[in-house]
Amino acid sequence: MLVTYVPFHRIHEVGEYFLRSAENAGAEESMVFVDNVFHPSQRRILERELRVPFEAGNWGSRGATWFAMLRGLGGRGEVVFVDSDNVLDPGFREVAGRIPGDAYGILDWEEWGRGAVHFARRSSPSGELDLGGRRLPLFAYRVYDGSAAGLLRGGSVFFFGPKQAVGLRRFPGPDLVERVERAFLGVQHDLRRLISDETVLGVLMHLMGIGEVPWTVASHHYHHGSTPGQAFKPFVAMAHAQFGRNLYAEFRRPEFRRYWLKYRLSFLRNGLGALVRG
């Protein structure tokens, strides 16, 4: 099954990109989750414009949308979630079939061409995928970085890795989804969107006992261009600090205390820096 998720203002990407991904992947089933839908007129637009089954809600962020998808699609077998502004490579089903593990990620060729530096730092080579004469690199991304250096440098303590597409063969249990969702929804509403869905997925993978996520390169990214300017760093740190605090309250695990601590320190550092620059 192939799934994408979009805010209402980007539903045009379903026809532009997602249907091409479904064709390239040979998907027998496909579905779209649409966020920011709160009025019956919007649903009528979706019924008229979308040519695939859809689920609509007003979840308010990509992270919150993931909880709805995980609840709704658990037990459906392997599901691939592709970002709405990506097109999977032709023959993607064969690529996915060669990737090991309960979960895997897909990087786009554009980022690969730029060196994929952000992902290389926490990845280790793990071989190649042999596709009948065509070979793709295979890496493993470490979803949790609890090192002392990780607490001081930039980047999230928890991170899924490349996720232009995410394949799940094993879903987190309902209780786990509910508890992580409760921690996420405990973050102030306007700050939740500052927590990437890669972070939410990284937390879930860690709690499922998945320490490394295999990934390869098999999509093209047609960036949508609607992202606002860079978020104010103290607000980002505040969002993560609240999420870390809430995760610690739910699970009482030391790694969540470290996550909380990292972003409390980041908030102080960036907040003071902003005051000095101001």
Side-chain angles (χ1 to χ4, degrees):
M1 185 176 191
L2 189 68
V3 176
T4 195
Y5 49 114
V6 290
F8 182 79
H9 70 274
R10 287 171 54 188
I11 60 170
H12 62 283
E13 293 178 349
V14 175
E16 290 280 342
Y17 308 123
F18 180 64
L19 294 182
R20 290 162 60 189
S21 283
E23 181 179 355
N24 288 349
E28 297 173 356
E29 291 184 88
S30 56
M31 189 173 184
V32 179
F33 280 72
V34 187
D35 192 12
N36 308 130
V37 176
F38 50 85
H39 193 278
S41 294
Q42 291 177 289
R43 291 182 179 271
R44 288 194 287 271
I45 291 171
L46 294 174
E47 290 166 358
R48 185 176 68 242
E49 297 295 331
L50 297 184
R51 290 181 284 159
V52 293
F54 68 87
E55 180 74 30
N58 194 23
W59 303 292
S61 68
R62 293 173 68 85
T65 303
W66 265 99
F67 297 115
M69 293 192 296
L70 292 171
R71 275 196 304 272
L73 299 172
R76 299 288 293 267
E78 182 171 347
V79 180
V80 176
F81 303 84
V82 60
D83 279 7
S84 59
D85 57 0
N86 268 250
V87 175
L88 297 172
D89 286 358
F92 178 79
R93 176 176 288 191
E94 183 183 5
V95 174
R98 300 295 180 90
I99 305 175
D102 292 327
Y104 57 87
I106 298 297
L107 184 72
D108 57 286
W109 288 105
E110 289 72 24
E111 180 62 26
W112 178 255
R114 291 189 290 268
V117 176
H118 176 69
F119 302 108
R121 186 173 62 197
R122 276 166 65 169
S123 296
S124 55
S126 56
E128 291 183 320
L129 302 179
D130 186 349
L131 303 170
R134 175 171 164 250
R135 294 181 179 273
L136 293 178
L138 185 64
F139 294 87
Y141 187 90
R142 190 172 74 258
V143 301
Y144 170 59
D145 182 3
S147 65
L151 291 175
L152 296 174
R153 66 176 172 235
S156 181
V157 174
F158 296 95
F159 205 78
F160 182 85
K163 58 151 285 297
Q164 300 303 325
V166 169
L168 291 183
R169 299 185 176 112
R170 178 166 65 95
F171 277 60
D175 179 66
L176 183 56
V177 171
E178 180 181 348
R179 294 175 73 185
V180 176
E181 181 180 34
R182 188 159 53 231
F184 183 81
L185 295 181
V187 176
Q188 288 174 252
H189 184 274
D190 290 343
L191 296 179
R192 292 174 201 158
R193 64 179 180 81
L194 302 179
I195 299 171
S196 69
D197 43 348
E198 287 95 338
T199 293
V200 172
L201 286 169
V203 168
L204 286 165
M205 295 301 106
H206 177 74
L207 289 168
M208 291 169 65
I210 298 173
E212 292 185 329
V213 172
W215 62 271
T216 191
V217 192
S219 84
H220 285 281
H221 185 193
Y222 300 88
H223 195 275
H224 53 82
S226 67
T227 303
Q230 187 175 17
F232 189 46
K233 286 184 177 180
F235 290 166
V236 176
M238 187 186 302
H240 281 277
Q242 290 184 16
F243 191 33
R245 177 197 63 200
N246 297 343
L247 286 167
Y248 181 71
E250 280 288 337
F251 296 98
R252 296 292 174 182
R253 293 175 59 151
E255 61 266 37
F256 294 133
R257 190 201 295 270
R258 288 193 288 271
Y259 176 35
W260 180 14
L261 173 62
K262 171 174 178 166
Y263 285 98
R264 288 172 67 190
L265 294 173
S266 177
F267 174 74
L268 291 172
R269 183 173 61 251
N270 286 299
L272 289 172
L275 287 174
V276 170
R277 290 192 298 273

